[in-house]
Amino acid sequence: MTAALSFIHRFEPATVPGLAPLLLLHGTGGDENDLLPLGRLVAPGAALLSPRGKVSEGGAPRFFRRLAEGVFDEEDVRRRADELAEFIREARAAYDLAAPIAVGFSNGANIAAALMYRQPDALAGAVLLRAMVPLPEAPARDLASRPVLILSGSMDPIVPEENAARLATVLGQAGADVAHRVLPTGHGLSQADVNLSKQWLDKASAPAARG
Ligand code: MLT
């Protein structure tokens, strides 16, 4: 039952009513299939919407262009965040969904953060796994207590601890309700990421608060 929309994607309908849908955003080199198992673990029964990033880096799908590792093409970040927000609007209409909570990993976490900066109405909240500051400017709008969980790794070779802490500060100053945990791990996901995300989503997603 996947509709033809502006992003290649997978959609799994909810089996439990009232839970916020999840928008699953994969890391570099992933695709629309990658995070479905994680989504099922952290929000059993929630609708899952999982697009594939449109940018190809030597064949590896991403959600925006980068100039080097950790150095983003900022104009592309802005354009791609707006494009993804439009996809979310399309998908909400096609599948009759409430505003989703993003669950993004690495590059997917960074585009989710960029959505918060530019298109906060697109999301009801976000779980940002190994995220960085996506843009130099402050978020454009008040984030109106949107819940955001940031999980970082103290040994992450890609995301400096200071950068993740800055993201938490910037989102908090813009009005988001931010929880930031630094785990004793690297860039990859651990069981602690799954457990903490599930606990946080149990509170944040039921009942689906923002329509
Ligand atoms: C990015 O480019 O978004 C970050 O460096 C994370 C990554 O995809 O490696």
Side-chain angles (χ1 to χ4, degrees):
M1 66 166 289
T2 300
L5 302 177
S6 60
F7 276 63
I8 294 169
H9 67 283
R10 293 271 308 269
F11 175 68
E12 289 190 0
T15 54
V16 175
L19 297 177
L22 298 190
L23 175 73
L24 301 171
L25 300 167
H26 63 78
T28 301
D31 67 19
E32 66 278 16
N33 299 303
D34 268 34
L35 294 188
L36 290 171
L38 176 68
R40 293 181 200 121
L41 278 176
V42 297
L48 304 177
L49 176 65
S50 185
R52 184 193 302 177
K54 287 189 180 189
V55 169
S56 169
E57 185 181 83
R62 287 177 50 85
F63 286 96
F64 57 82
R65 266 170 39 85
R66 64 179 164 184
L67 309 175
E69 188 158 289
V71 184
F72 302 155
D73 176 339
E74 288 161 4
E75 259 324 295
D76 199 57
V77 175
R78 295 183 187 98
R79 183 165 80 84
R80 299 291 179 178
D82 294 353
E83 188 180 64
L84 185 58
E86 183 53 37
F87 164 74
I88 296 167
R89 281 189 280 274
E90 285 172 24
R92 287 187 60 187
Y95 298 122
D96 190 22
L97 297 175
I101 295 179
V103 175
F105 168 61
S106 190
N107 181 246
N110 296 338
I111 195 72
L115 278 171
M116 281 284 175
Y117 273 53
R118 293 183 62 80
Q119 302 270 353
D121 290 343
L123 299 178
V127 176
L128 306 177
L129 305 167
R130 312 297 183 271
M132 302 176 69
V133 174
L135 288 165
E137 64 267 25
R141 302 234 319 272
D142 184 84
L143 296 180
S145 302
R146 275 188 179 66
V148 177
L149 174 65
I150 302 174
L151 296 179
S152 310
S154 60
M155 293 171 276
D156 189 332
I158 297 175
V159 182
E161 220 175 307
E162 166 282 322
N163 190 302
R166 190 150 41 91
L167 176 63
T169 301
V170 169
L171 291 174
Q173 283 172 347
D177 180 4
V178 180
H180 181 201
R181 292 281 298 270
V182 182
L183 307 177
T185 185
H187 197 67
L189 296 181
S190 65
Q191 187 62 42
D193 289 283
V194 176
N195 297 344
L196 291 168
S197 298
K198 181 169 188 320
Q199 280 166 21
W200 184 90
L201 282 163
D202 282 348
K203 288 199 196 121
S205 76
R210 291 164 209 270

